[in-house]
Amino acid sequence: MSDSSQDVYAKHLQHADYGYPLRMPEPMSTLPDHYRDSGLQIGDVGVVDREGQFDVLFNIFKQNDNVLHGPRGVPKNFMPIRPCASKSNDNAIPPHAFHSRGIKRILKSNEQKYPSCSSSVDYEFDSSAPDGAILILPHGAESHQLLSPEQFREVATKNALDWYEFAKKCYGVQYFDRSLYLITGFYKARSWSLGSFNNPTNTTGKILARRDDNNLNVYLLEFTFPADHRHSRRDDDSGKTNQTVFITGFKITVSSWLSDPVVLRVTESETTWWLQAACTDKLGVEHSPSLSQPFHPSDIINRFLLSKNPNAKVAITHDSQWMDMMKLLYFCKAKCIRARNILSGLKRIPVGFYVSVQFDGDQRRTQNKSMRLNDSGIEWDDEIPLLTSFRPSTAFDKVEFTVYASFELEPMLGNGEALYSSVSRVEELVGGTYLITFSSGESRTAAPGPSLLITLAQRCSGDLTAAPSGDDSNLDSLESVLIRETNLGREALLRYYNEYQLEDLENAVQHFECAWSKCPLTHRCRAVVLVNFAKANFVRYQTEPTNANLNEVIDLYRQALGQRRPGHPDRPATLLQLAQILLFRYEKEGCDELIADEINKLMTESRSFSENSHERRAADLVLQTLKRCRVINSGSLAELNELVQELKRSAMVLPDGYFDRPQRLINLSTTLWRRYEKHGDFSDLDSSLRINEQALQLLPSRDPERLPGLRTHGAALWKLFEICGDIGYLRELISLDKEALLLVPKGHPEHRYWVTNSESHLAEMLECLADIAFEAQKHDEEIAQHT
């Protein structure tokens, strides 16, 4: 007899560690109405049929005259048992997608040039195995478990033969070829989607999961190969949690049901045999032709125990026993991860960091933890499983470690920004410590020497508390849209920072705008959406001011700050972002004192920030830059001298390579230049030029934040050319003009300034060289590129 769909489904999802999986979670239609409303209950005795549905015969806790017992009655000598204490958990299984090994989940995004807010396919799974199973729980599942199920083993042992005779009577058979099930716990879900496949000749394919247009709480599964798949009905989504996806309990096998062996060629000891039969690829569980009930690990154990003890009449195994056996296998885990030098090169103020670990299609992440400025590193104590020994084929699997920066703590929407990533082979993770040093090729920034030190452990124990999954595929439909658009927006913005292609920036704006338009005003992620949309629009304003409105950017930040009231963990970062945008306007619009007053008012709150926090350092930089603008415009020589000393101290503060260091150096360089302009000290000119070069070396070549430094650098080079007449300075100026013009396309407020500079410097070079024919042509070509 070939494996049924329930056989395949149960074999491949038993590793989920929640009990025995049912392919048909819905209650049987023959149950009384109130029983169907609540689904299976603790104390139910019955069988799992070949289709994977539980048929309830009776309940050991209910009276003889209970409506459940009406159609069939109760077993001989039946005496109801007094209910015992149980425990419940409304969120025992968070929203999650379970799948067997050989299936890998891939986040499916809309790959159009200008993505829309929705996508026809929500998630895509790649399958590289000939058989497997998948279960999606969009709302997760609740659990109910007896606190002391073992006390009912004696009840089952005492009554097993009577229960068995009753089952034969109920089904009208003389020979009952199934074991009985006494439920001691279960996991129930509001909605679900599941599937299984067994195609020996077809080992690869795809599984698509898309939301049902008529019921967004359900995923519709599509397979590119033959498969069995089901989902909860539309009319099931009434808020009732009566769909039983996993059960735990006692499996009761009577010796009279002892046909041909279930497993072929069994010679090992009981435990070793079962572990190999149930868990390895090479020793599979083969069903004998006469076995008609679906696969269950406890049946295998019971039948083996009965075959070893011919005088025994009954064998009883609780699901926890085979579940514990599976957890007693060897595994390797990362129990401590420590990161160093991850602050270097960041462009934005991070509020937290976490590490994502991806292995065999599963993704786990550490906590999102904050880090102080003077910390040498950051450490996570989360335990993350990496390898189990019953899968020999995983010896060459890979583990990917990725360090992320997050820009909000609560709630966190999407993944944040990936900073560094590295792939390691599993066989290298053998215990002790494992060091990953990110090379420049792996780093997403220009940071010097970031690294992860991973402490590994090997254990034969089942008490592992796993880190939370990074799987967001099963959240409610709105939040799934917000996460998808946020992740796509951040990826596009990161590509823009790396390559400075305007198409990437426009894509980022569109994704963030989509999330902003979809997110209700009262949604918990509203502030995150506002900040992301504001950030992308501000970058677009810096690049092409005609395509963005600075007032709208400021208003978005003000709205976000209003959402994050005092005491919110993300309020300091939002406060600073608003202050920085106002400071940008203050510099661009001629030092409007009303704007300065608003900045100072916002920054009074920064006094409560921790001395060693990133936020405190950023707040000091805002106030420092504001002071620099004021002093340069209207300050005395004494104020300039005091400011230069303050800025020198500030620019030298460790850590070297910190994300705000270029701005601090530009502040110092600009102040030295202005002091030179007012008082003519040549050492100030020389220092300004040297410090500006340091700042520009820290910024990417296409970063618009280079413009203030390029302005100061150009002014200093021109002054040196005027003083010395060295044509080398003029050549540097022409090269600098070309670089600046790449950052200021037509429409940019500084475009005309740099075109004029370029014309002037090329004309000066023409005159210096006195090569009219050649240089005139070159001059015309250069100017034609930008006018």
Side-chain angles (χ1 to χ4, degrees):
M1 180 180 292
S2 62
D3 285 352
S4 68
S5 295
Q6 172 63 18
D7 293 330
V8 178
Y9 181 72
K11 285 184 196 178
H12 287 283
L13 284 189
Q14 63 179 329
H15 304 291
D17 197 31
Y18 290 108
Y20 183 69
L22 294 177
R23 176 182 162 273
M24 298 185 70
E26 59 267 42
M28 273 197 168
S29 59
T30 55
L31 290 170
D33 290 344
H34 79 280
Y35 226 82
R36 291 201 305 271
D37 288 342
S38 59
L40 297 182
Q41 297 182 18
I42 291 176
D44 283 346
V45 176
V47 298
V48 178
D49 66 18
R50 187 168 172 77
E51 298 303 314
Q53 191 168 32
F54 195 95
D55 184 13
V56 182
L57 299 179
F58 61 94
N59 187 290
I60 65 172
F61 297 133
K62 300 190 182 300
Q63 298 297 319
N64 297 42
D65 59 355
N66 187 278
V67 64
L68 173 67
H69 299 152
R72 291 169 167 168
V74 294
K76 182 181 177 181
N77 300 318
F78 177 78
M79 293 290 293
I81 306 299
R82 185 177 179 178
C84 296
S86 62
K87 60 180 178 179
S88 301
N89 185 343
D90 292 337
N91 190 33
I93 302 178
H96 192 64
F98 298 94
H99 52 77
S100 54
R101 295 181 183 273
I103 297 177
K104 181 178 181 180
R105 184 182 66 83
I106 301 172
L107 181 63
K108 179 70 177 180
S109 63
N110 191 330
E111 296 177 351
Q112 299 177 34
K113 186 174 181 180
Y114 295 103
S116 62
C117 296
S118 62
S119 176
S120 59
V121 175
D122 290 283
Y123 289 95
E124 179 180 311
F125 299 84
D126 278 348
S127 174
S128 58
D131 52 0
I134 183 171
L135 168 65
I136 298 179
L137 299 177
H139 299 96
E142 64 182 42
S143 73
H144 297 268
Q145 303 285 339
L146 281 178
L147 288 177
S148 302
E150 278 300 312
Q151 61 185 299
F152 294 100
R153 185 186 295 272
E154 183 178 348
V155 174
T157 303
K158 179 180 178 181
N159 295 282
L161 296 179
D162 288 337
W163 292 357
Y164 184 78
E165 291 299 322
F166 178 71
K168 289 199 297 182
K169 176 184 174 181
C170 289
Y171 291 109
V173 296
Q174 291 184 342
Y175 175 72
F176 186 63
D177 59 353
R178 301 178 185 181
S179 58
L180 295 174
Y181 220 133
L182 167 58
I183 292 180
T184 62
F186 51 74
Y187 292 83
K188 291 180 181 176
R190 281 176 50 194
S191 59
W192 47 268
S193 302
L194 58 85
S196 62
F197 54 95
N198 186 14
N199 308 308
T201 60
N202 188 358
T203 60
T204 61
K206 292 187 178 296
I207 307 170
L208 306 180
R210 66 180 80 239
R211 298 277 184 177
D212 185 350
D213 292 337
N214 297 311
N215 184 355
L216 296 178
N217 294 317
V218 171
Y219 281 102
L220 302 180
L221 298 178
E222 298 176 17
F223 294 74
T224 61
F225 46 84
D228 169 76
H229 54 93
R230 310 180 66 246
H231 60 80
S232 51
R233 299 194 310 270
R234 296 184 181 95
D235 56 357
D236 285 338
D237 189 36
S238 58
K240 300 174 183 176
T241 307
N242 64 348
Q243 311 283 298
T244 308
V245 290
F246 295 100
I247 56 174
T248 56
F250 290 103
K251 258 306 190 123
I252 307 162
T253 304
V254 177
S255 60
S256 61
W257 177 43
L258 199 59
S259 54
D260 295 335
V262 176
V263 182
L264 306 180
R265 295 183 299 279
V266 177
T267 58
E268 294 84 352
S269 67
E270 295 177 20
T271 302
T272 304
W273 159 77
W274 186 81
L275 288 178
Q276 290 183 337
C279 300
T280 66
D281 293 327
K282 295 181 179 179
L283 271 175
V285 178
E286 302 292 341
H287 286 252
S288 67
S290 62
L291 183 62
S292 64
Q293 77 167 359
F295 163 83
H296 195 295
S298 294
D299 288 334
I300 301 172
I301 299 174
N302 282 349
R303 291 175 62 80
F304 183 76
L305 295 175
L306 288 172
S307 69
K308 294 293 185 180
N309 299 276
N311 295 326
K313 293 183 178 181
V314 177
I316 299 176
T317 299
H318 194 270
D319 288 325
S320 61
Q321 293 174 271
W322 61 262
M323 292 166 66
D324 287 343
M325 284 182 181
M326 295 182 69
K327 290 188 289 185
L328 285 171
L329 300 173
Y330 161 82
F331 65 80
C332 176
K333 69 173 183 177
K335 72 173 186 177
C336 179
I337 301 176
R338 182 176 179 83
R340 291 181 178 273
N341 299 325
I342 60 174
L343 291 174
S344 303
L346 286 173
K347 294 179 64 63
R348 298 171 59 191
I349 304 171
V351 298
F353 298 89
Y354 72 92
V355 177
S356 166
V357 182
Q358 187 162 347
F359 170 69
D360 198 27
D362 190 26
Q363 184 180 14
R364 299 282 169 176
R365 60 171 60 171
T366 64
Q367 301 174 63
N368 184 21
K369 294 182 69 173
S370 59
M371 181 177 179
R372 296 178 303 173
L373 181 65
N374 60 352
D375 285 346
S376 59
I378 184 169
E379 186 171 304
W380 298 270
D381 295 324
D382 308 68
E383 295 187 349
I384 300 177
L386 301 177
L387 175 65
T388 50
S389 67
F390 60 80
R391 293 283 297 185
S393 62
T394 62
F396 297 100
D397 280 348
K398 297 177 180 179
V399 181
E400 182 174 8
F401 297 90
T402 306
V403 181
Y404 284 85
S406 63
F407 302 99
E408 62 271 347
L409 290 174
E410 183 184 325
M412 184 177 174
L413 185 62
N415 295 331
E417 182 177 317
L419 302 178
Y420 319 104
S421 186
S422 180
V423 176
S424 303
R425 289 188 177 275
V426 167
E427 65 265 26
E428 298 173 359
L429 308 174
V430 294
T433 57
Y434 183 74
L435 177 66
I436 297 175
T437 301
F438 298 102
S439 68
S440 57
E442 294 167 331
S443 174
R444 302 293 181 92
T445 70
S451 64
L452 285 181
L453 182 64
I454 303 166
T455 301
L456 299 160
Q458 300 174 1
R459 185 185 291 181
C460 291
S461 173
D463 59 354
L464 175 66
T465 301
S469 170
D471 184 355
D472 55 49
S473 62
N474 309 292
L475 299 170
D476 66 77
S477 56
L478 173 60
E479 197 145 324
S480 293
V481 170
L482 298 181
I483 288 174
R484 181 179 65 239
E485 297 302 323
T486 298
N487 283 337
L488 292 173
R490 284 175 174 162
E491 289 168 8
L493 193 59
L494 183 60
R495 287 196 304 273
Y496 171 74
Y497 281 138
N498 289 336
E499 301 172 13
Y500 290 96
Q501 297 295 318
L502 290 179
E503 181 181 350
D504 290 326
L505 178 57
E506 289 303 314
N507 283 342
V509 172
Q510 288 185 32
H511 285 299
F512 289 138
E513 183 175 15
C514 178
W516 170 74
S517 66
K518 293 283 187 181
C519 186
L521 295 176
T522 57
H523 195 278
R524 68 189 189 100
C525 296
R526 180 68 181 176
V528 182
V529 168
L530 288 166
V531 167
N532 287 336
F533 190 33
K535 172 64 179 177
N537 270 300
F538 177 61
V539 176
R540 182 164 65 171
Y541 177 86
Q542 289 179 293
T543 306
E544 294 185 277
T546 56
N547 291 338
N549 187 313
L550 193 57
N551 289 329
E552 292 179 0
V553 172
I554 292 172
D555 185 58
L556 288 169
Y557 276 118
R558 283 173 175 156
Q559 291 178 46
L561 187 64
Q563 294 262 339
R564 293 167 169 171
R565 309 301 299 173
H568 191 286
D570 292 319
R571 181 174 173 84
T574 314
L575 189 81
L576 287 165
Q577 289 160 345
L578 175 56
Q580 287 164 344
I581 300 300
L582 290 170
L583 180 62
F584 177 84
R585 165 176 276 184
Y586 179 78
E587 291 188 83
K588 292 295 180 183
E589 298 183 2
C591 300
D592 185 336
E593 289 307 308
L594 290 177
I595 299 176
D597 291 342
E598 183 177 357
I599 294 171
N600 280 317
K601 184 177 180 181
L602 288 170
M603 289 298 94
T604 56
E605 196 172 323
S606 70
R607 296 168 188 164
S608 63
F609 297 169
S610 169
E611 286 285 345
N612 296 322
S613 67
H614 305 290
E615 291 83 2
R616 181 61 175 268
R617 182 175 172 92
D620 291 344
L621 179 58
V622 168
L623 292 172
Q624 187 182 93
T625 307
L626 180 63
K627 181 178 180 181
R628 186 258 295 167
C629 294
R630 280 176 159 171
V631 170
I632 283 175
N633 281 299
S634 58
S636 63
L637 176 59
E639 289 174 313
L640 270 174
N641 291 338
E642 180 184 347
L643 180 61
V644 166
Q645 295 305 313
E646 179 183 332
L647 294 178
K648 284 182 177 179
R649 290 192 297 270
S650 169
M652 297 304 113
V653 173
L654 295 176
D656 189 32
Y658 194 67
F659 66 91
D660 67 2
R661 184 168 173 79
Q663 180 59 47
R664 292 179 183 272
L665 291 172
I666 288 174
N667 275 350
L668 175 58
S669 173
T670 304
T671 305
L672 287 167
W673 165 250
R674 294 301 185 188
R675 189 168 72 173
Y676 167 76
E677 282 189 312
K678 289 191 175 185
H679 304 287
D681 187 338
F682 192 79
S683 65
D684 283 341
L685 177 60
D686 183 63
S687 296
S688 174
L689 197 63
R690 176 173 45 81
I691 293 169
N692 215 321
E693 287 174 347
Q694 294 177 29
L696 291 174
Q697 287 173 359
L698 296 174
L699 291 169
S701 61
R702 298 295 298 276
D703 192 336
E705 293 182 11
R706 293 175 64 88
L707 286 173
L710 291 175
R711 267 180 171 266
T712 302
H713 202 64
L717 287 172
W718 179 254
K719 179 57 67 175
L720 285 171
F721 172 71
E722 286 185 323
I723 295 172
C724 307
D726 187 341
I727 200 172
Y729 293 126
L730 199 52
R731 288 196 174 96
E732 285 188 56
L733 273 169
I734 293 172
S735 177
L736 184 147
D737 293 337
K738 291 179 181 179
E739 178 186 341
L741 283 167
L742 293 174
L743 301 177
V744 289
K746 288 182 180 179
H748 194 284
E750 294 194 29
H751 180 76
R752 173 43 50 190
Y753 169 85
W754 288 104
V755 168
T756 302
N757 270 11
S758 181
E759 291 175 343
S760 174
H761 298 151
L762 287 168
E764 187 70 28
M765 180 64 80
L766 181 69
E767 183 177 339
C768 290
L769 295 176
D771 188 349
I772 305 299
F774 174 75
E775 293 299 329
Q777 180 182 359
K778 186 175 180 181
H779 170 266
D780 291 341
E781 290 173 353
E782 295 283 359
I783 296 301
Q785 291 182 20
H786 308 292
T787 58

